[in-house]
Amino acid sequence: MIRRTLLATLATALLAVVGCSKSEAPGGTGPGAPPPAPAGPVKLTGAGATFPYPLYSKWMDEYRKLKPGVQINYQSIGSGGGIRQVIAGTVDFGATDAPMNDEEAKKAPHKLFHLPMTLGAVAVVYNVAELKAPLKLTPDVLVDIYLGKITKWNDARLKALNEGAALPAADIRVVSRSDGSGTTAVFTDYLGTVSPEWKEKVGVGKSVKWPVGLSAKGNEGVSGSVSTTPGSIGYAELAYALQTGLSMAALKSVVGEFVTPSIEAVTAAAEGVELPDSLHVSIVNSAAPKAYPISSYTYLLVYEDMPDAAKAQALSEFLWWAIHDGQKLSGTLHYAPLPAKAIGKIEARLKELKSGGKSLLGSP
């Protein structure tokens, strides 16, 4: 019931967004380009991260209006599932918040590109009715809550950070993800970055063995659990936290500022870290002023050379649209648009996409 209610709320918000103007992708009509897509519908399927699901859903709805002959279906099953399905070839593209590791990359039958699509924040959400101002947390306190060392809301360390707040003498109920999750990878990347103890005892990745607490599936599952469990704390992508009206903690950054998640704070984190040629990078714990500490790129996984020419052409043109006109939809859905300096690198990578060895996108 919680999942259905949250998805219905997200769908309502998505439909309220005003569509953007049409933008054409490079046509791919030059020498050596594959034949144009047939007049009939081209059906593309993708699966993976729940983190960007609200934005991807909106993109696909808007793109269908521009290109009625292209039907794109995306299933938000978690980053781990998206990686497995694209490797298995059961989907045309995967989606993940965490880059594939070396072992995963070796399992892919052909070369997969990581393509950054947008940026978001992993919010630390909580359900403590007595708190009227945002909960303040330092990295060490957040780590110790998830390690099970801090178990009460009125713990002395929490009281020292939140002077004057009405912290109850209640148990802290920790909520985490049960599925293989890019959101978990980003969250644990942050915990491992700020705490050698966390990195050694628990580790970093899409799935970890949580020391304490309850688990729920998907961003919507964690958001729903926190919203219905008094005294709970969890982590969820910013869009889900806002749609469920959850309180979000202010985290102490590297430069000593307490920052709550926002588009501006995510943008600051991204601008403080150079995107390398691999097109994937961690931006957690950025030292840039005003940066939110748990920010992240999220990626689509696409094969460099795709066997079906019609699908390949349709997908490459959709991706070109997404990194240009699609970015105009990001802010309304609480995602940060790609930095301008990153878009140029992604454009160059998109022009490397092929079908049967033939280039798909010519010069714009």
Side-chain angles (χ1 to χ4, degrees):
M1 178 62 71
I2 291 168
R3 178 184 174 93
R4 291 197 299 271
T5 301
L6 179 55
L7 289 178
T9 302
L10 287 170
T12 300
L14 296 174
L15 291 173
V17 180
V18 177
C20 65
S21 62
K22 181 176 180 178
S23 175
E24 292 295 333
T29 57
V42 176
K43 296 183 179 180
L44 299 170
T45 59
T50 64
F51 184 106
Y53 173 69
L55 180 59
Y56 287 178
S57 295
K58 182 59 183 175
W59 279 355
M60 292 165 192
D61 181 60
E62 289 300 317
Y63 197 71
R64 190 179 299 115
K65 297 173 186 176
L66 296 172
K67 300 285 184 75
V70 179
Q71 301 174 12
I72 310 175
N73 178 56
Y74 178 76
Q75 298 295 319
S76 59
I77 60 172
S79 294
I83 290 172
R84 288 191 296 272
Q85 289 204 18
V86 76
I87 289 174
T90 56
V91 294
D92 300 305
F93 61 90
T96 181
D97 310 318
M100 292 189 302
N101 58 38
D102 291 342
E103 182 179 348
E104 290 167 334
K106 288 177 182 177
K107 291 179 180 178
H110 307 289
K111 185 176 181 179
L112 278 166
F113 285 152
H114 289 77
L115 300 172
M117 289 287 111
T118 191
L119 298 115
V122 177
V124 177
V125 295
Y126 59 93
N127 183 345
V128 182
E130 292 87 348
L131 284 175
K132 306 306 178 186
L135 176 71
K136 291 182 178 179
L137 293 173
T138 53
D140 60 306
V141 167
L142 179 60
V143 167
D144 282 352
I145 288 173
Y146 269 83
L147 284 174
K149 293 182 179 181
I150 296 177
T151 61
K152 296 285 187 181
W153 281 107
N154 65 344
D155 184 273
R157 291 164 69 190
L158 281 168
K159 289 174 71 175
L161 285 172
N162 298 273
E163 189 175 353
L167 289 163
D171 291 338
I172 298 176
R173 300 180 181 275
V174 176
V175 182
S176 58
R177 286 282 289 271
S178 60
D179 53 326
S181 157
T183 308
T184 294
V186 174
F187 185 63
T188 57
D189 181 23
Y190 171 71
L191 297 181
T193 297
V194 300
S195 169
E197 181 182 8
W198 179 274
K199 193 167 187 176
E200 179 184 350
K201 291 183 177 179
V202 183
V204 173
K206 293 183 288 294
S207 296
V208 298
K209 186 175 181 180
W210 298 102
V212 293
L214 311 169
S215 293
K217 186 176 181 179
N219 272 289
E220 63 272 25
V222 171
S223 299
S225 292
V226 173
S227 67
T228 57
T229 307
S232 60
I233 189 169
Y235 59 93
E237 199 280 325
L238 177 59
Y240 293 84
L242 290 171
Q243 288 298 331
T244 47
L246 290 169
S247 298
M248 297 181 288
L251 301 183
K252 191 173 184 179
S253 70
V254 174
V255 296
E257 302 167 330
F258 282 96
V259 186
T260 53
S262 68
I263 294 170
E264 295 77 14
V266 172
T267 298
E271 290 179 344
V273 180
E274 182 71 22
L275 184 65
D277 290 341
S278 64
L279 300 191
H280 57 79
V281 66
S282 171
I283 59 171
V284 302
N285 213 35
S286 170
K290 310 298 182 185
Y292 179 67
I294 319 181
S295 299
S296 177
Y297 281 99
T298 188
Y299 312 90
L300 288 188
L301 300 174
V302 179
Y303 282 103
E304 176 188 24
D305 198 326
M306 296 171 272
D308 188 308
K311 284 189 173 185
Q313 189 69 45
L315 179 56
S316 61
E317 291 181 5
F318 167 71
L319 295 172
W320 189 272
W321 175 89
I323 67 167
H324 294 97
D325 282 6
Q327 298 301 304
K328 300 172 187 176
L329 299 172
S330 301
T332 308
L333 295 173
H334 313 297
Y335 297 88
L338 294 167
K341 60 185 179 181
I343 290 177
K345 291 187 175 183
I346 302 167
E347 287 177 341
R349 188 58 42 84
L350 288 178
K351 291 177 184 178
E352 297 177 28
L353 293 175
K354 305 177 182 68
S355 179
K358 296 181 179 180
S359 177
L360 295 167
L361 298 176
S363 298

